[in-house]
Amino acid sequence: MNILVCVKQVPDTTSIKIDPIKHTLIRTGVPSIVNPYDAYALEMAARIKDAVGGKICALSMGPEMAKDALKECLSVGADEAYLISDRVFGGSDTLATSCIISTAIKLLEEKNGAPFDLIFCGKQAIDGDTGQVGPEIAEHLDRALITYAYESQIEGDAIKVRRESDEGYDMLLAHFPAVVTVEKTPYEPRYPSIKSKMAARKAQITTLTSAEVTVDENSRGLKGSPTKVKSTYTAEVQKNGQTISGLDGSLAGAKIASLLFDAGIIK
Amino acid sequence: MILDEETLELRDMVREFVDNEIIPNAPEYEKKNEFAYPILDVAINEMGLGCLCQPEEFGGAGLSNVAFLTLSEEIARGDLGIATTLFGNCLATYPVLIAGTDEQKKLWFDTLDEKKYAAFCLTEPNAGSDAGGVRTSAVADGDDYVINGTKCFISNGGIAGIYTVLAVTDPKKGVLGLSAFIVERDRDGVSIGKEEDKMGMRLSNTTEVIFDHVRVPKDHLLGKLNRGFKIIMETLDHSRAGVGAFGVGIAQRALEEATKYAKQRVQFGQPVANFQAVQHILADMAIEIECARQAYLHAGELIDAGLPYKMESAIAKTKGSDTAMKCAIDGLQVLGGYGYMKEYPLEKLVRDAKILQIYEGTNQIQRGVIAGCLLKKY
Ligand SMILES: Cc1cc2nc3c(=O)[nH]c(=O)nc-3n(C[C@H](O)[C@H](O)[C@H](O)COP(=O)(O)OP(=O)(O)OC[C@H]3O[C@@H](n4cnc5c(N)ncnc54)[C@H](O)[C@@H]3O)c2cc1C
């Protein structure tokens, strides 16, 4: 089983603040992490590797610093890692990014002499939250796509995926080669071991530049990015809740019950 | 000393595990009086924390002593019982590393990899501080030694798959008549006696281990016949620095808990952290902790450099354990009445800290070791 996992290095949004005037992320002093959904995707891939054997390759696009994220992947299941990094790729939107990543995937597949059986992505990156790159990769490569995988298992030459929805869940099957985007799984990503961590620190990560990943000038960077950001804003959190105050416990309880009753939520 | 990048990264990785898995979950096991196997399984099987002194050529990580001690502090910060269980494996392993042949090391690590736990069997009812007073005997018989005796207070005694054991091989020669052996748990005649009900360190298994006509092949003798006492003393010299690191872990935890509490507990209309009397308790704790930490790191550096470390290791142990005791008690004071309650972690830290002044040589014995080194030197 040959598996590719796409990962992005993102600022740890749990410790990030938003500039209240410019509405942009204040990135200074914020630690970088592997996008959490990519970590779930890698864990799903690692569990497949544990079950049926195979090899996992991690691929990221970003600045040199993103090698730290790839090293983390190497310590929790990935066997090799590549970083796509070049100034001319800077400023790429999701379309240009997916185009560049797909070109790099084709390059790796040529090198391997076979397509990846499975390509995993996180369902979205927690900094941009678009959720577009995974599906776009499937489109560029003309592969089957399953989004929002919650659990999965291998059945012969196909992957069977459970996808949760508001109404229940779907069971979906895709034959290899396929692209799967992963949401928060029912299990947590594994811890690195002391040995895997030490080995990953020393691992050499190959950088792929525009010399190898040849993408038309009009499909990469700012030029290849049709997305125009008109404005960004912090979404107002709707507070529909009601606070009951000034009553002691039992009276407050009775008040809540009567409100819920009036609203038809309890009968 | 300044820790290198690799050690810091390993420390952060273990810290994350301690903060996410040990600190929130260990108290539940303690309350239910259950052994924390699920936490230990992740620590050993997933993270490879089972025997951190395992050399690279036998499948281990080959950590430096400085890194090893740094991780010891971190795990003890989470729970001393779990730390003693994991590092008890190393205590048992040192005699094999010091005196074992490659075949013996292979046997040892193969068994440890499979059975997960090992124990170091020195103490007996009549041989505590006076370790030379062991009575357990090993008598040559054909191709075997036959071992008889009872060891007590053995950490991991009831869960270990393999033991290192000190026994008398020549009763007339005192400490020059003692030898060290490897004994597997599944040999006929090995059994577990009483399990101790302890004041603290509740997540460590402490039992009697009984050897009743246990036959081991002669190749289970470690080092030379009648030279076991020296191996065991060297083992303790080495492992002691780790007890110092445990102490710093407990003290550090006490400091963190006390500081957080002091900032949110309001009396007289303000957080108690505003009162200088409270601030000075915290500052004194930080002073002791930093000194104790540097003491164990220095011992670790000496060991890594191949320099003598006997005195520094004893200093690290004494300073670390005394610091744990003082900081646990003082940290509890910062929590006032709440510190005395089981809902808060300080009372447990006090109960746990005490053992560090006792095991692997009491602090009285350590001061004797330190004084011995001084008297030789000057
Ligand atoms: C929880 C726990 C876990 C343990 N784990 C292990 C283990 O894994 N393996 C193992 O082999 N042992 C283990 N031990 C044993 C431990 O190392 C001994 O308890 C310790 O060395 C002290 O021996 P003792 O209890 O017999 O005390 P004693 O030697 O009886 O000491 C009593 C008091 O006299 C003092 N004293 C004794 N001799 C002198 C002296 N010469 N000068 C000054 N003061 C002295 C001591 O400091 C102490 O205060 C463990 C003990 C405990 C409690």
Side-chain angles (χ1 to χ4, degrees):
Chain A
M1 178 81 55
N2 248 323
I3 305 175
L4 179 86
V5 182
C6 298
V7 298
K8 183 179 185 185
Q9 190 182 45
V10 295
D12 184 356
T13 48
T14 54
S15 57
I16 208 166
K17 294 195 174 56
I18 292 176
D19 184 320
I21 296 158
K22 287 187 271 179
H23 300 303
T24 50
L25 304 179
I26 304 172
R27 284 176 189 256
T28 41
V30 179
S32 294
I33 56 169
V34 174
N35 176 43
Y37 296 110
D38 302 348
Y40 288 120
L42 176 57
E43 179 60 29
M44 192 176 273
R47 283 173 183 237
I48 290 172
K49 187 177 98 172
D50 290 345
V52 302
K55 207 170 107 184
I56 298 175
C57 174
L59 176 67
S60 187
M61 174 166 141
E64 186 67 18
M65 200 180 89
K67 281 190 177 169
D68 290 345
L70 287 170
K71 285 188 175 175
E72 253 175 73
C73 297
L74 288 171
S75 74
V76 287
D79 301 287
E80 56 176 12
Y82 293 88
L83 176 70
I84 310 166
S85 195
D86 199 310
R87 269 174 181 282
V88 302
F89 296 150
S92 293
D93 70 356
T94 58
L95 183 65
T97 300
S98 63
C99 180
I100 297 163
I101 291 177
S102 304
T103 310
I105 292 173
K106 280 187 219 152
L107 181 79
L108 294 175
E109 291 183 334
E110 245 167 64
K111 212 185 88 185
N112 293 342
F116 290 104
D117 298 304
L118 288 168
I119 296 173
F120 282 102
C121 303
K123 69 164 178 174
Q124 65 200 51
I126 58 166
D127 55 350
D129 275 331
T130 68
Q132 292 170 355
V133 172
E136 285 171 358
I137 290 173
E139 197 59 31
H140 288 302
L141 297 174
D142 195 21
R143 307 258 162 107
L145 167 71
I146 297 179
T147 50
Y148 304 107
Y150 175 71
E151 271 183 304
S152 72
Q153 76 195 62
I154 298 303
E155 284 190 0
D157 63 346
I159 182 167
K160 196 166 149 191
V161 167
R162 178 184 171 119
R163 175 164 74 187
E164 306 271 304
S165 67
D166 287 345
E167 292 81 37
Y169 62 89
D170 306 319
M171 293 302 294
L172 303 160
L173 191 92
H175 286 275
F176 304 151
V179 178
V180 177
T181 78
V182 178
E183 67 159 308
K184 187 173 185 333
T185 52
Y187 39 78
E188 285 301 307
R190 66 197 57 192
Y191 285 98
S193 76
I194 297 285
K195 271 166 77 176
S196 67
K197 182 85 184 174
M198 289 168 83
R201 285 191 85 252
K202 295 182 189 105
Q204 284 299 320
I205 291 171
T206 313
T207 304
L208 304 172
T209 66
S210 59
E212 297 102 40
V213 184
T214 46
V215 176
D216 186 88
E217 210 178 307
N218 295 315
S219 305
R220 66 181 199 205
L222 279 173
K223 259 193 181 171
S225 300
T227 311
K228 297 281 173 282
V229 180
K230 285 198 166 156
S231 78
T232 57
Y233 62 94
T234 313
E236 291 284 330
V237 180
Q238 294 277 336
K239 280 200 182 147
N240 292 325
Q242 202 176 325
T243 309
I244 315 273
S245 56
L247 295 174
D248 76 14
S250 58
L251 285 175
K255 175 96 194 200
I256 292 172
S258 86
L259 283 170
L260 291 175
F261 188 80
D262 291 346
I265 294 165
I266 55 173
K267 292 200 180 88
Chain B
M1 73 175 292
I2 298 171
L3 297 176
D4 63 31
E5 265 312 302
E6 179 173 78
T7 305
L8 289 172
E9 278 183 34
L10 295 176
R11 182 198 67 186
D12 290 349
M13 162 187 150
V14 170
R15 181 172 288 175
E16 196 180 320
F17 166 70
V18 166
D19 287 340
N20 294 344
E21 315 290 336
I22 299 187
I23 290 181
N25 299 322
E28 275 307 304
Y29 290 99
E30 178 156 348
K31 210 188 287 169
K32 288 186 290 188
N33 220 0
E34 274 174 24
F35 202 62
Y37 278 120
I39 300 177
L40 289 162
D41 282 349
V42 178
I44 296 172
N45 304 337
E46 204 166 310
M47 302 192 69
L49 300 172
C51 186
L52 282 175
C53 64
Q54 196 158 337
E56 242 176 320
E57 59 269 37
F58 293 97
L63 287 184
S64 70
N65 282 279
V66 165
F68 174 94
L69 292 167
T70 301
L71 302 188
S72 309
E73 176 192 330
E74 220 43 65
I75 296 171
R77 189 181 135 268
D79 184 89
L80 183 65
I82 289 174
T84 295
T85 305
L86 295 173
F87 291 92
N89 285 347
C90 296
L91 175 63
T93 298
Y94 285 136
V96 182
L97 291 179
I98 292 169
T101 61
D102 277 355
E103 290 77 52
Q104 289 174 326
K105 288 177 190 165
K106 187 166 177 338
L107 164 76
W108 181 265
F109 289 116
D110 284 352
T111 312
L112 187 55
D113 286 344
E114 188 198 332
K115 305 282 168 89
K116 312 293 179 207
Y117 302 102
F120 173 78
C121 302
L122 169 61
T123 304
E124 296 179 9
N126 292 311
S129 299
D130 182 11
V134 299
R135 305 263 172 83
T136 294
S137 62
V139 177
D141 181 38
D143 291 338
D144 299 331
Y145 285 99
V146 180
I147 302 179
N148 273 294
T150 297
K151 299 288 181 177
C152 67
F153 294 170
I154 303 306
S155 304
N156 291 352
I159 59 172
I162 193 160
Y163 303 99
T164 38
V165 180
L166 189 68
V168 180
T169 35
D170 188 342
K172 284 174 280 191
K173 290 198 186 143
V175 295
L176 287 178
L178 300 172
S179 304
F181 295 90
I182 295 174
V183 183
E184 296 93 335
R185 167 71 177 90
D186 53 16
R187 289 201 175 267
D188 285 343
V190 180
S191 64
I192 310 305
K194 180 182 173 210
E195 180 175 346
E196 301 297 341
D197 188 8
K198 302 187 295 295
M199 164 185 178
M201 202 172 65
R202 305 280 305 177
L203 297 184
S204 165
N205 167 271
T206 317
T207 69
E208 277 180 340
V209 180
I210 300 158
F211 301 95
D212 182 12
H213 292 89
V214 177
R215 280 186 172 272
V216 293
K218 283 206 163 144
D219 64 7
H220 280 40
L221 169 72
L222 283 166
K224 290 207 186 93
L225 188 67
N226 293 332
R227 290 294 176 273
F229 191 70
K230 187 160 178 280
I231 300 170
I232 297 306
M233 289 302 113
E234 265 181 53
T235 292
L236 291 170
D237 283 343
H238 190 160
S239 69
R240 252 164 213 154
V243 178
F246 284 178
V248 176
I250 288 193
Q252 176 68 32
R253 176 79 184 285
L255 177 64
E256 289 170 14
E257 298 287 352
T259 308
K260 276 190 253 167
Y261 184 87
K263 283 168 73 176
Q264 55 92 25
R265 170 68 173 170
V266 173
Q267 288 292 282
F268 301 98
Q270 52 187 311
V272 298
N274 283 4
F275 303 124
Q276 200 177 51
V278 172
Q279 290 178 2
H280 284 191
I281 295 176
L282 298 174
D284 281 336
M285 288 167 74
I287 294 167
E288 294 298 316
I289 289 168
E290 199 47 43
C291 294
R293 183 177 288 128
Q294 294 306 324
Y296 83 64
L297 288 173
H298 181 54
E301 260 188 314
L302 290 173
I303 303 174
D304 285 333
L307 295 167
Y309 58 84
K310 188 185 182 74
M311 182 168 88
E312 289 75 7
S313 189
I315 288 174
K317 195 265 181 188
T318 314
K319 181 70 188 165
S321 54
D322 288 351
T323 298
M325 206 58 224
K326 179 160 172 32
C327 290
I329 280 283
D330 291 352
L332 189 153
Q333 187 70 16
V334 171
L335 272 74
Y338 296 90
Y340 200 66
M341 303 302 161
K342 285 201 183 272
E343 278 152 75
Y344 289 83
L346 270 299
E347 64 84 30
K348 169 191 151 64
L349 295 179
V350 172
R351 287 186 290 106
D352 285 359
K354 186 61 209 172
I355 185 60
L356 300 175
Q357 295 178 316
I358 299 169
Y359 71 6
E360 297 194 33
T362 67
N363 282 11
Q364 287 72 34
I365 294 298
Q366 299 312 303
R367 289 183 165 89
V369 170
I370 296 164
C373 293
L374 288 176
L375 297 179
K376 248 191 223 157
K377 194 166 168 190
Y378 300 108

